[in-house]
Amino acid sequence: MAVVSWKEILLLTGLVVGCYWNSLSCGFVFDDVSAILDNKDLRPSTPLRNLFLNDFWGTPMAEVTGVVGRAELLSSIFLLAAFLAYTKSTSADHSIVWAPIALTVVLVAAATLCKEQGITVVGICCVHEVFVAQGFTLPMLLDTLRHVLQGKDGFPYAVLQTLLKLIVLVISTLLLVIVRVQVIQSQLPVFTRFDNPAAVSPTPTRQLTFNYLLPVNAWLLLNPSELCCDWTMGTIPLVESLIDLRNLATLAFYMFLGLLAYHSLRYRHSSAKTVIMALSLIVLPFIPASNLFFPVGFVVAERVLYVPSMGFCVLVAHGFKIVSHKGNLKKISWLIIGVLLTTHAVKTFNRNWDWESEYTLFTSALKVNKNNAKLWNNVGHALENQNNYAKALQYFLQATRVQPDDIGAHMNVGRTYKNLNKSKEAEDAYLVAKSLMPQVIPGKKYATRVAPNHLNVYINLANLIRANESRLEEADQLYRQAISMRPDFKQAYISRGELLLKMNKLTEARDAYLRALELDRTNADLWYNLAIVNIEMKDPSEALKNFNHALELNPRHKLALFNSALLMQESGEPKFWPEANRRFLTYVEEEPDDANGYFNLGMLAMDANENAAAERWMRKAIGLQAGFRSALFNLALLYSQSKREIDALPVLDELLRHHPEHIKGLILKGDILMNHKKDTHGAKACFERILHMDPTNVQGKHNLCVVYFEERDLPRAERCLEETLALAPNEEYVRRHLNIVRGKMAAMSAAGQPLTSAEGATMSAKEEKPKRVKEGVEEVAEGEEEGRGADAVGKGAGDEKNVRKSSAESLGGVGVDQSESLASSQSDKRTKGKSTKEIKDIEEKRAAALKRLEEIERILSGD
């Protein structure tokens, strides 16, 4: 082993830092998104054992998984460490040292866990042991073997030692291979012809193309001028004939490789040993990715050349050493190596900028290769992530032109048309993609012949057409078709569960989610959606259990936090309120700009009679969302119930400015104006506006009748009450009030007193022509829906405070009906319950209402 001085270390470190420092400003692109950003194995909540069960992408290794894409750098570190450890396995007296061999086995396993090609270091160790440590040449090995077979001599002791060490390494390697095969359930990965066209080509095209890829990779090592992040699909045209001129490159490659191998295996001098070790570093680690023994998921991949590039650098350095020691070539050799290092450093520095973002990466790749549909698709994805759908569509369409049978490209076209609100074009594109799917062959597993992500065409098409209520059954058929093709297709169960929930087929929806959970019990979203189904099935206790399952897996699951807290709040059980409050607080930490979280914190505080906290949370919600109807109304209601009716008026004014049709707000405002401001004109305007929007509103009509009575316009009050009774013939209190008014009128007539005051007469004259109620006025729903998510059932905003109606339907005749349901706007229709405290509050309000009615009746009776 060469001794490296600290000056050389500093030089190498400075060179590397200088070449790569600009890469620090680049983002996560390409495979980084799946391998890092979206990889659940990197989350703190994921058990450590998952690292040994899942692959580099976080996908269980037992599923149809590729042999590429692992961390080449990390694997290379362990590979080199294993090799260096093995070089210490022979002592000065040529005896075996077992500690380095044991360490080598451990490091080989680590290298293999990082990337499967790490196991090839065992072959490198074998080459080193035979041709470097023991100093054999190929002729010497053949002579020794011939003598043993002829019985002329036994195995030399050195050979026996070598065999023993290599047997230990080989057995360890076989064990690793067996474990790896068991993990993938003895199945090779599934790749499509789009990933590696030559792999599915007939003879001799397959063999000619695979062999031609060897000189292509060698050329990338020699002249990395045109680099591309993706070499799949049509990047390199197939070699379909023996007369293809590219076969000459294959022939030249094998001839050059053969010459190097002949030189290194025939001689024992140090140059031969250097060359054989360089060749072992180049050839052996590349074998798993060579397509020669089993197909891989790419045509060419620059990343698999990382370890081979070490051997290539050894060859270059060795050649430079030989040339530089020749006097007449010394200066020119140093000039050449200087130019080589400079150009490669500049190339590396500039190449780093290509990796700044996905858009720059894939556009740079298109400059090298325009025949790869995947690159056109990836540029489209980058633009799609920037919401530039129109431009993205151009790239996706170009991908379909480059590769007309690319299912993924047509799916991308369909999705982009959908984002552009062109449903018809989107459906057409999805249908084209669906028509390109392989047909089902009886007796043959469909999953082995199609890329899993291509099955998403059924999901995407079903998601599109289910927006039409008349095509829900058709969408369900597509989901079931995807499941029949791949029974472990988890997303199909999830999407079908959402559809069945929409179709109100709750039992089937629950079964779909349970089946998905059998496939993946660690998916918090699945537990959340199952909880939503439980809510729809009026099973709040089971829903809460499943919400808790989701939160165990993901304590920051926002929708589970929100809806489980809301479920606790609406259970009517005060024992749940502290936990509900904690979950709402966690939710607003995750979503600090969502007014719904603060609103529900305010509702909890109101339930607990914590008025100051309730006011603070409601104000926060209104500050985040101007015109937040529920928050404004409940804040006004809070003021009213806290004897702060005057403070409620500006809040109600803001509510009615944003929502002039809010009937309960108008009733509450009229109540305050009538009873606390003594403003009968303002109260009258509120009740008249209610009747303008809803002429059949009994409460508004009755309260207007009371206003007429307060104005001493008894005839008009009588007519008003008669009309109210016609609207609500079963309301006894209306009938009783009408009788009181008629009795009062009879008494006043008998006494010769006028039945209307001067003011009332004037008002009657002004209102001789009542306003005509406009036809076609839309009745605004009492609930509202804000912030609904895209899940099976998302969260909604709360609605007004839930206080049950009293039998009188009015607080003192002009009071507000406080029966607006908290849950009426919740899109998940949560189950409600009443606590003992709520029932007590309702009874108290009912008693107050009856007392107020008695007061009105006393006034109406004339005293």
Side-chain angles (χ1 to χ4, degrees):
M1 299 301 297
V3 177
V4 182
S5 68
W6 65 268
K7 291 183 180 179
E8 292 171 325
I9 293 174
L10 288 178
L11 178 63
L12 288 172
T13 303
L15 183 62
V16 171
V17 172
C19 288
Y20 287 101
W21 72 267
N22 61 332
S23 64
L24 296 175
S25 61
C26 299
F28 290 109
V29 299
F30 204 15
D31 290 344
D32 296 340
V33 176
S34 299
I36 299 174
L37 298 182
D38 297 337
N39 192 343
K40 293 182 179 179
D41 284 352
L42 300 183
R43 298 174 183 172
S45 59
T46 302
L48 187 63
R49 63 185 178 86
N50 283 24
L51 297 178
F52 300 94
L53 299 177
N54 299 340
D55 67 4
F56 180 73
W57 312 97
T59 304
M61 283 187 283
E63 297 181 4
V64 199
T65 303
V67 297
V68 297
R70 290 190 174 261
E72 276 77 10
L73 292 176
L74 193 59
S75 176
S76 301
I77 291 173
F78 287 120
L79 183 147
L80 291 175
F83 174 66
L84 292 175
Y86 184 80
T87 61
K88 308 293 185 181
S89 63
T90 302
S91 65
D93 59 356
H94 300 288
S95 62
I96 299 176
V97 183
W98 290 105
I101 295 178
L103 179 60
T104 299
V105 172
V106 173
L107 292 171
V108 169
T112 306
L113 286 171
C114 297
K115 187 175 179 67
E116 285 84 348
Q117 72 182 35
I119 204 170
T120 59
V121 70
V122 173
I124 297 173
C125 292
C126 292
V127 172
H128 176 270
E129 179 66 29
V130 174
F131 297 104
V132 177
Q134 301 300 330
F136 284 104
T137 63
L138 185 60
M140 291 172 61
L141 281 177
L142 294 176
D143 286 341
T144 301
L145 182 61
R146 186 174 63 254
H147 289 163
V148 171
L149 292 176
Q150 293 176 351
K152 295 181 179 179
D153 197 1
F155 280 107
Y157 179 72
V159 174
L160 290 175
Q161 278 195 320
T162 299
L163 286 175
L164 181 59
K165 292 166 67 174
L166 296 184
I167 287 172
V168 172
L169 280 180
V170 171
I171 291 176
S172 302
T173 303
L174 289 176
L175 289 174
L176 284 174
V177 171
I178 291 171
V179 171
R180 182 66 177 101
V181 171
Q182 289 296 320
V183 166
I184 63 173
Q185 297 182 349
S186 304
Q187 292 181 352
L188 285 175
V190 175
F191 301 112
T192 67
R193 56 194 174 89
F194 303 110
D195 299 317
N196 191 349
V200 295
S201 299
T203 302
T205 300
R206 180 170 65 254
Q207 290 76 15
L208 291 175
T209 303
F210 283 161
N211 281 278
Y212 171 66
L213 295 179
L214 300 178
V216 170
N217 281 279
W219 181 250
L220 283 174
L221 286 174
L222 183 64
N223 180 31
S225 59
E226 293 186 340
L227 299 177
C228 181
C229 62
D230 193 286
W231 294 80
T232 57
M233 306 188 86
T235 302
I236 297 178
L238 298 174
V239 181
E240 299 178 308
S241 170
L242 289 172
I243 62 174
D244 193 311
L245 293 179
R246 290 176 292 175
N247 290 321
L248 295 177
T250 305
L251 184 62
F253 169 79
Y254 278 115
M255 288 179 61
F256 182 73
L257 187 65
L259 288 173
L260 286 176
Y262 176 81
H263 169 79
S264 59
L265 292 174
R266 186 172 181 83
Y267 302 103
R268 299 186 62 181
H269 51 69
S270 61
S271 177
K273 293 179 179 179
T274 301
V275 172
I276 191 61
M277 289 309 303
L279 287 179
S280 67
L281 281 170
I282 293 174
V283 175
L284 296 179
F286 185 74
I287 286 177
S290 66
N291 283 289
L292 298 179
F293 296 97
F294 46 82
V296 295
F298 53 84
V299 178
V300 173
E302 295 161 10
R303 63 180 181 273
V304 303
L305 294 175
Y306 187 74
V307 177
S309 70
M310 299 179 188
F312 183 77
C313 289
V314 171
L315 279 181
V316 172
H318 183 60
F320 169 73
K321 179 182 178 181
I322 294 173
V323 174
S324 65
H325 281 77
K326 295 183 178 180
N328 56 338
L329 296 177
K330 184 174 183 179
K331 291 184 178 180
I332 193 170
S333 64
W334 277 102
L335 176 63
I336 292 174
I337 200 69
V339 171
L340 183 67
L341 291 175
T342 301
T343 54
H344 279 66
V346 172
K347 172 66 176 178
T348 301
F349 188 85
N350 290 332
R351 177 62 173 163
N352 291 338
W353 291 123
D354 291 340
W355 289 80
E356 182 178 14
S357 67
E358 292 200 333
Y359 180 76
T360 57
L361 176 63
F362 296 124
T363 51
S364 70
L366 281 176
K367 295 175 184 176
V368 176
N369 174 29
K370 290 181 171 58
N371 295 322
N372 187 338
K374 190 174 180 180
L375 294 177
W376 293 99
N377 281 322
N378 285 336
V379 175
H381 287 311
L383 292 168
E384 190 178 33
N385 291 335
Q386 301 171 9
N387 296 326
N388 191 348
Y389 299 120
K391 192 172 181 181
L393 180 62
Q394 298 175 12
Y395 282 88
F396 290 142
L397 289 172
Q398 179 61 24
T400 63
R401 288 189 281 267
V402 171
Q403 189 88 33
D405 57 353
D406 181 7
I407 298 173
H410 291 285
M411 291 170 62
N412 292 334
V413 170
R415 186 182 61 256
T416 309
Y417 273 130
K418 181 182 178 182
N419 289 331
L420 292 171
N421 296 319
K422 296 183 178 181
S423 299
K424 179 62 172 62
E425 292 85 349
E427 183 173 351
D428 291 341
Y430 284 139
L431 288 173
V432 172
K434 182 172 174 286
S435 69
L436 294 171
M437 294 289 287
Q439 298 301 308
V440 176
I441 300 176
K444 189 171 183 181
K445 287 184 66 175
Y446 191 86
T448 61
R449 301 183 299 110
V450 65
N453 62 312
H454 286 172
L455 283 173
N456 284 321
V457 67
Y458 294 95
I459 306 300
N460 294 346
L461 181 57
N463 290 345
L464 177 69
I465 66 175
R466 79 181 197 185
N468 185 340
E469 295 288 338
S470 65
R471 303 181 69 183
L472 298 183
E473 290 292 345
E474 184 180 349
D476 188 35
Q477 176 61 33
L478 286 167
Y479 291 136
R480 284 187 277 128
Q481 188 174 356
I483 291 171
S484 68
M485 292 177 173
R486 190 181 179 98
D488 62 347
F489 192 9
K490 179 179 63 179
Q491 186 57 46
Y493 291 105
I494 296 173
S495 298
R496 184 166 186 252
E498 295 173 1
L499 176 67
L500 292 169
L501 189 59
K502 183 177 181 180
M503 298 170 70
N504 204 33
K505 297 182 178 181
L506 303 181
T507 303
E508 293 182 57
R510 181 193 60 192
D511 292 343
Y513 286 131
L514 288 174
R515 178 68 181 102
L517 281 169
E518 291 177 9
L519 299 171
D520 183 7
R521 297 190 65 82
T522 62
N523 189 319
D525 292 333
L526 280 175
W527 289 106
Y528 168 80
N529 285 349
L530 182 59
I532 296 301
V533 176
N534 295 139
I535 289 175
E536 294 291 335
M537 299 179 75
K538 305 296 187 291
D539 191 353
S541 60
E542 192 65 23
L544 190 56
K545 289 179 183 178
N546 290 323
F547 278 137
N548 291 338
H549 277 304
L551 291 172
E552 287 171 7
L553 293 168
N554 181 7
R556 314 295 285 189
H557 193 290
K558 291 180 286 190
L559 289 175
L561 283 168
F562 184 94
N563 284 295
S564 63
L566 201 56
L567 194 62
M568 291 177 176
Q569 178 186 0
E570 294 178 359
S571 68
E573 295 290 338
K575 66 179 181 181
F576 287 136
W577 291 350
E579 178 61 17
N581 191 74
R582 186 195 67 78
R583 293 188 184 188
F584 277 133
L585 287 173
T586 305
Y587 174 79
V588 297
E589 288 177 7
E590 294 293 308
E591 292 287 341
D593 297 327
D594 187 358
N596 295 299
Y598 300 100
F599 167 76
N600 283 284
L601 281 168
M603 298 300 289
L604 267 176
M606 287 181 70
D607 288 337
N609 291 322
E610 298 174 357
N611 293 346
E615 179 181 0
R616 183 174 70 254
W617 292 127
M618 292 296 183
R619 287 289 184 189
K620 179 71 173 179
I622 295 167
L624 287 171
Q625 182 177 319
F628 191 164
R629 191 181 78 169
S630 299
L632 286 166
F633 178 81
N634 282 286
L635 179 59
L637 192 61
L638 175 67
Y639 286 146
S640 176
Q641 294 174 344
S642 305
K643 311 299 183 184
R644 298 170 58 187
E645 290 83 357
I646 304 305
D647 291 337
L649 283 177
V651 179
L652 289 168
D653 288 338
E654 183 179 356
L655 169 66
L656 295 171
R657 179 168 59 85
H658 289 283
H659 308 282
E661 77 293 347
H662 197 282
I663 291 177
K664 290 182 175 61
L666 287 167
I667 290 177
L668 181 57
K669 182 179 180 182
D671 174 50
I672 294 173
L673 291 174
M674 187 73 175
N675 294 328
H676 301 279
K677 297 284 287 184
K678 306 304 179 184
D679 182 1
T680 55
H681 296 290
K684 184 177 181 180
C686 291
F687 301 138
E688 287 178 338
R689 194 195 302 182
I690 293 172
L691 295 176
H692 178 76
M693 293 183 292
D694 180 13
T696 64
N697 188 286
V698 174
Q699 190 173 8
K701 185 76 171 177
H702 173 263
N703 289 350
L704 182 61
C705 301
V706 176
V707 172
Y708 292 151
F709 177 82
E710 295 288 343
E711 293 177 340
R712 302 304 182 191
D713 190 348
L714 297 184
R716 195 167 190 184
E718 180 188 28
R719 291 194 302 273
C720 179
L721 287 168
E722 288 173 345
E723 293 170 359
T724 306
L725 188 60
L727 292 173
N730 296 323
E731 294 292 350
E732 184 59 32
Y733 74 93
V734 179
R735 188 183 308 276
R736 189 164 61 251
H737 289 178
L738 177 58
N739 290 334
I740 291 174
V741 170
R742 285 174 174 171
K744 181 70 172 178
M745 291 174 65
M748 293 179 69
S749 297
Q753 296 178 358
L755 297 180
T756 59
S757 65
E759 182 183 1
T762 302
M763 293 181 67
S764 297
K766 287 183 179 179
E767 294 179 353
E768 188 174 359
K769 295 181 180 179
K771 296 180 181 179
R772 180 175 64 87
V773 178
K774 294 182 181 179
E775 296 183 4
V777 177
E778 181 182 358
E779 181 178 353
V780 180
E782 293 298 330
E784 67 179 342
E785 185 169 293
E786 302 185 33
R788 180 169 179 170
D791 297 81
V793 182
K795 64 177 175 61
D799 206 47
E800 277 79 341
K801 182 70 176 175
N802 182 18
V803 182
R804 293 285 181 253
K805 298 181 182 180
S806 67
S807 60
E809 289 295 319
S810 162
L811 296 182
V814 287
V816 60
D817 170 10
Q818 301 181 51
S819 63
E820 200 158 347
S821 171
L822 174 66
S824 62
S825 73
Q826 299 296 342
S827 56
D828 48 8
K829 302 176 183 176
R830 285 162 286 279
T831 304
K832 300 187 289 293
K834 301 190 196 72
S835 66
T836 304
K837 180 180 179 301
E838 287 179 321
I839 295 173
K840 183 178 179 182
D841 288 344
I842 292 170
E843 294 299 331
E844 289 176 354
K845 293 180 184 301
R846 180 179 291 112
L850 291 174
K851 184 177 180 181
R852 177 61 175 156
L853 279 174
E854 292 173 358
E855 181 182 350
I856 292 175
E857 291 173 358
R858 181 181 58 79
I859 295 173
L860 289 173
S861 65
D863 296 329

